[in-house]
Amino acid sequence: MTLVETLVALAILAGVAIAAYAMVAQATRFAATEQERLIAGIIADNQTIELMIRPAAPDKGEEEEEVEVASRLWRVKRVVEDFSEGLLRLTVSVSRAGDDQVLARVESLREAS
């Protein structure tokens, strides 16, 4: 009887250990994803600020470029379009280079003059 109880206890302990390992692995993946989103958000904010502080209004249209931040390549897409009389809509989207999933997006308005 004691051997059976010990085996059952070991099986329960193994199940708990496997569940804990799975939770740690999932938390690690979540942390990495959130880190990417945070970096992408910072890049999008910086690109938007650069468009906002230019003395002259940016040219209308769409442009893409790759930038390296935190030892990774990111694709930045900037769109400048008319919003209303005297205003431009600035949209900056950031994704991983080679990936279409947008991790961060910032929209802002700026005077057209």
Side-chain angles (χ1 to χ4, degrees):
M1 199 57 128
T2 306
L3 180 60
V4 172
E5 290 172 348
T6 304
L7 290 175
V8 168
L10 284 175
I12 291 171
L13 181 63
V16 169
I18 290 171
Y21 177 76
M23 286 178 25
V24 168
Q26 183 177 5
T28 302
R29 285 190 302 272
F30 178 75
T33 300
E34 287 306 306
Q35 181 184 28
E36 283 187 337
R37 288 179 190 252
L38 175 65
I39 293 169
I42 291 169
I43 294 168
D45 287 342
N46 287 342
Q47 293 285 326
T48 303
I49 290 169
E50 286 179 12
L51 290 172
M52 295 291 288
I53 65 172
R54 288 182 182 175
D59 296 331
K60 294 176 198 162
E62 193 175 302
E63 55 183 52
E64 282 189 32
E65 71 174 323
E66 286 191 358
V67 296
E68 184 177 351
V69 176
S71 301
R72 299 180 199 157
L73 280 178
W74 304 88
R75 187 179 76 212
V76 177
K77 180 179 178 183
R78 290 182 294 273
V79 179
V80 179
E81 57 192 358
D82 284 321
F83 180 72
S84 70
E85 187 175 322
L87 289 177
L88 296 173
R89 179 191 329 222
L90 312 173
T91 306
V92 178
S93 303
V94 179
S95 59
R96 283 182 236 101
D99 190 1
D100 290 335
Q101 180 183 6
V102 174
L103 297 174
R105 178 182 170 135
V106 175
E107 289 190 18
S108 186
L109 297 176
R110 176 204 161 119
E111 287 185 42
S113 57

